[in-house]
Amino acid sequence: AAVRTVAMHPAAQIALALLQGMAMCSYTVCFPPALARLTTEGNRTAAFSITFGTGIASGAVAGLIGGFAPGWMRRAGWSPSVATEMRNVLLLACGCVLVGLLPLLRLRFPPTSAEGPQATRNGAPSPLLMRILGAIAIWCFATGAFAPFGSIYLSGRLHVPLEHIGLIFSASQALQVAGVAAAPLLYRWLGKERGIACAQIGAAASLMLLGSAGRTTHAIVFYLSLAMFQYMCSPGIYSLVMDRTPDGMRASASALQNIVSCLSL
């Protein structure tokens, strides 16, 4: 990502984008098994909730800082041009990633746990995992079909002003954090399977009400509730996949989950 700020040739940008995408994909495959190794079935959902909530909240804060950072750099005399301003902001973001390596260098994983189901003899995914992945595919297809058109629906169909859409998006991020934070309570009360189903029913109802809303205010409320219920599912889904997979196969299960999600979105 840092090299992309100085490599201006299109071919170099394409090659570096491919490498950056591969690195990001590796991260999404690695972190669920790592988090599962550091937790137990009893506190795993809470750990995933903290992880997702922290990511959403820090992303929202980073968006605000990224918007103001060029002005701060200009006043400090660090950025003589607009191009330099943007490059410095991007390099600053790369530096933040490197700072995140410091706690990882001190991280020590416990030995392989015998917790969870036993692996199949040939190492193939279990039938239970395949059924879970099938449900994930349907869920990702349903949510992915609407996600690109949310802002278009609000602005084109309901004529919400652009500046209000920005506020709605910020409010949806706040509710996403709230939904993720409330997820462990829901799953502790209903169990993971029923809790996931309950959150998905809430998302489906919100989407149906959003499509039939006659007033803009009602549509905005249903849009925000959709975002909350949608993200409430994530900690339960990731935790359930890790719970139902033996420790030695969790990396493969995580890779399959990400492949299914990406193909279905």
Side-chain angles (χ1 to χ4, degrees), residues 75-230:
R75 286 191 290 271
W78 295 349
S79 302
S81 66
V82 175
T84 305
E85 287 175 3
M86 296 304 300
R87 183 179 295 113
N88 289 342
V89 171
L90 294 173
L91 289 173
L92 178 63
C94 295
C96 291
V97 175
L98 294 179
V99 172
L101 293 177
L102 298 178
L104 286 177
L105 294 175
R106 299 181 61 85
L107 185 63
R108 297 293 181 268
F109 289 99
T112 301
S113 172
E115 176 200 8
Q118 298 298 315
T120 56
R121 290 185 178 180
N122 58 0
S126 66
L128 176 60
L129 178 60
M130 296 306 295
R131 289 197 295 271
I132 294 175
L133 292 176
I136 291 174
I138 296 172
W139 168 247
C140 290
F141 180 82
T143 54
F146 172 75
F149 307 106
S151 59
I152 297 174
Y153 180 77
L154 292 174
S155 61
R157 180 68 182 274
L158 300 177
H159 307 293
V160 177
L162 185 61
E163 60 271 18
H164 291 176
I165 291 179
L167 293 174
I168 294 169
F169 181 74
S170 298
S172 71
Q173 287 185 310
L175 283 177
Q176 288 166 17
V177 174
V180 168
L185 301 176
L186 176 68
Y187 297 130
R188 190 178 303 165
W189 178 40
L190 296 177
K192 288 181 183 175
E193 291 87 348
R194 292 181 180 178
I196 293 170
C198 181
Q200 289 180 338
I201 290 172
S206 299
L207 186 57
M208 291 177 61
L209 292 170
L210 174 61
S212 60
R215 299 182 60 180
T216 302
T217 305
H218 296 166
I220 292 172
V221 170
F222 297 140
Y223 178 82
L224 295 176
S225 66
L226 171 63
M228 182 185 68
F229 284 119
Q230 182 177 339

Side-chain angles (χ1 to χ4, degrees), residues 49-67:
S49 296
I50 293 171
T51 303
F52 286 117
T54 302
I56 298 169
S58 60
V61 173
L64 293 173
I65 295 176

